[in-house]
Amino acid sequence: MNYHHILHSFLQILNEMSPYVLLGFLIAGLLHVFVNEATLTRHLSGNGWKSVVKAAAIGIPLPLCSCGVLPTAVSLRRQGASKAATTSFLIATPQTGVDSIAATYSLLGLPFALIRPIAALCGAFFGGLAVGKLSPDEDIKNKDSMSNAEGTKKESLFKKLKASVSYGFFDMVDNMGKWLLIGLVIATLITIFVPDSFFVGLREYPLIAMIAVVLIAIPMYICATGSIPIAMSLMLKGLSPGVAFVMLMAGPAANFASILILDKTQGRKATAVYVSSVVITAIAFGFIIDFLLPHSWFTINAATDSHNAHMHMGWFETACSIALGSLLLFSFIKKFVSKLKVKNIPQNDMTKTYKIKGMDCSHCKAAVEKAISGVSGIDSVEIDLSSGLATVSGEVEDDKISEAVRLAGFELIKC
């Protein structure tokens, strides 16, 4: 096994992505701090096409993975967003994000980076309208959102910028660092070990190839940014740009975890519309890319091909790769230390530990912490994301905690 070749390919892909990923993290932090969620929900209360379009437009730049978007959507729904707008938000958000759009441009080029949010907008629009027609609901006055907006504390610009950096470079890395690393590793392994002739037979059957990618993507959890190097490696091995695009769109949005949670929170009909919208839109745009748009638009830069003898290692790209690698390492160490602390928390009559199913990112963790803390009698809540364990102190009532966690979109199991 040529370990030097493997490392060469991995570092080359990382160098291409790291500047854009870091830029995306920074923009994500600014959006999180400066965009008020309560204000957004006031625009998402209607059943018509306007609220659906607004929900999709809001969701496209947000850097939330498919697990992180679920508690966010639940929160929007409770603050007054209609079921149609919520579905639109659920479809558009995990497929894109400022981080993944920037990284898509870095590895796959401008056409892919432009078509990706357009496809997400179309899928969200038609999916949201379908849910609005099949399962309409009454407009809900957004009283919670109004009160929350009025009660928001004003902070200095410096504190907001500090919070933006903290969220972008630490919370976001905690959320998607593992999945980004998995995407890079899978892309490297495909590039090195899959022979160029492996996909030759599928070139003549694009629809079969796209369906095969969907079937692979559904059980595989991967974030929007992590899907990019995988799509690139598939193209380098001979699959068409349209097939690679299906991986970009279906991989982040259609996975078993999201489907199961949606089935419980939104209902089977809305879940079916969600999955259908994601798959149909991805395949439709895949065919548009392969048969209607110029093939030259989707030619991967030869500099990203790991078979080249010389790897471009500019000082700026290298510095960004070192910075991103350091953030990932810090995140993994922090999670490991946190897991050890949770194991060493003393148990007594006032402290209980629960297993929370469905938590995959810090957004999920924050949603569960908020839900449990809102239960009467709770003194403190400690959650370890890596193990899924929640340690609760106070006058704990299992039924009330279980109900609060369920309403947040997760499942509780008493240890």
Side-chain angles (χ1 to χ4, degrees):
M1 183 181 293
N2 191 339
Y3 292 104
H4 181 266
H5 195 192
I6 295 174
L7 181 62
H8 178 282
S9 298
F10 179 84
L11 291 178
Q12 186 152 349
I13 297 172
L14 178 63
N15 253 31
E16 291 289 331
M17 288 186 66
S18 57
Y20 297 92
V21 172
L22 291 174
L23 175 62
F25 283 160
L26 176 60
I27 297 173
L30 294 172
L31 283 173
H32 176 77
V33 173
F34 286 93
V35 177
N36 190 297
E37 183 182 276
T39 301
L40 298 180
T41 54
R42 286 201 294 270
H43 295 280
L44 307 181
S45 59
N47 287 307
W49 66 270
K50 289 184 179 180
S51 64
V52 170
V53 172
K54 287 179 181 179
I58 289 167
I60 285 173
L62 293 181
L64 292 174
C65 58
S66 57
C67 67
V69 72
L70 291 170
T72 305
V74 170
S75 174
L76 290 173
R77 174 73 175 142
R78 287 179 185 166
Q79 293 187 39
S82 66
K83 190 180 291 185
T86 303
T87 301
S88 177
F89 182 83
L90 283 168
I91 293 172
T93 307
Q95 294 178 329
T96 56
V98 288
D99 56 325
S100 62
I101 293 173
T104 301
Y105 171 73
S106 71
L107 282 190
L108 300 177
L110 183 60
F112 268 114
L114 292 176
I115 294 174
R116 195 174 189 182
I118 292 173
L121 177 61
C122 291
F125 178 72
F126 291 111
L129 286 183
V131 169
K133 293 291 184 182
L134 295 172
S135 183
D137 54 1
E138 297 179 358
D139 290 345
I140 303 171
K141 291 184 179 181
N142 202 358
K143 295 179 180 179
D144 292 340
S145 179
M146 295 285 287
S147 61
N148 289 340
E150 293 172 357
T152 301
K153 295 181 179 179
K154 291 184 178 180
E155 294 182 339
S156 67
L157 179 62
F158 175 77
K159 286 186 177 181
K160 288 186 176 182
L161 291 175
K162 183 179 178 181
S164 299
V165 171
S166 176
Y167 179 84
F169 292 124
F170 295 97
D171 291 350
M172 279 296 299
V173 173
D174 289 344
N175 291 350
M176 56 179 292
K178 179 173 69 173
W179 308 113
L180 175 59
L181 186 60
I182 289 173
L184 289 169
V185 171
I186 292 175
T188 302
L189 295 178
I190 291 175
T191 302
I192 297 298
F193 293 107
V194 176
D196 293 340
S197 59
F198 184 81
F199 293 112
V200 171
L202 287 177
R203 291 179 186 176
E204 304 298 324
Y205 308 98
L207 179 59
I208 295 177
M210 291 177 187
I211 293 174
V213 167
V214 170
L215 294 177
I216 293 171
I218 288 178
M220 180 178 67
Y221 183 93
I222 196 74
C223 70
T225 303
S227 67
I228 299 166
I230 299 176
M232 184 198 72
S233 63
L234 292 176
M235 289 178 64
L236 291 175
K237 289 303 177 180
L239 285 178
S240 70
V243 175
F245 187 80
V246 173
M247 169 57 74
L248 285 178
M249 304 307 289
N255 59 75
F256 283 143
S258 297
I259 293 172
L260 290 175
I261 295 175
L262 279 172
D263 184 56
K264 293 180 180 179
T265 58
Q266 292 287 98
R268 187 155 299 178
K269 188 178 293 184
T271 302
V273 171
Y274 172 88
V275 176
S276 299
S277 298
V278 170
V279 173
I280 292 173
T281 304
I283 292 177
F285 273 84
F287 273 100
I288 290 173
I289 289 172
D290 280 347
F291 299 107
L292 297 181
L293 297 178
H295 184 71
S296 59
W297 287 8
F298 306 97
T299 301
I300 295 180
N301 188 345
T304 61
D305 193 336
S306 65
H307 295 299
N308 286 342
H310 302 285
M311 179 170 62
H312 176 65
M313 293 287 283
W315 68 267
F316 179 71
E317 292 82 0
T318 301
C320 289
S321 294
I322 292 173
L324 181 58
S326 300
L327 290 172
L328 290 170
L329 180 61
F330 178 76
S331 175
F332 295 147
I333 292 174
K334 185 173 65 174
K335 288 180 180 179
F336 177 75
V337 172
S338 176
K339 191 173 183 179
L340 291 179
K341 287 182 178 179
V342 170
K343 287 183 178 180
N344 293 326
I345 294 177
Q347 301 291 309
N348 53 55
D349 293 339
M350 298 293 289
T351 303
K352 292 184 180 181
T353 301
Y354 303 90
K355 176 74 173 179
I356 311 295
K357 293 182 64 177
M359 291 194 304
D360 291 295
C361 70
S362 62
H363 297 285
C364 305
K365 176 182 174 182
V368 173
E369 284 180 339
K370 183 178 180 181
I372 295 178
S373 298
V375 177
S376 177
I378 301 300
D379 295 329
S380 65
V381 181
E382 293 286 342
I383 294 181
D384 176 61
L385 186 60
S386 59
S387 64
L389 295 177
T391 303
V392 182
S393 298
E395 297 180 2
V396 182
E397 296 184 34
D398 295 342
D399 293 341
K400 290 185 177 180
I401 293 178
S402 178
E403 178 66 12
V405 171
R406 185 189 67 81
L407 290 174
F410 303 91
E411 183 179 352
L412 179 144
I413 302 173
K414 191 175 185 303
C415 297

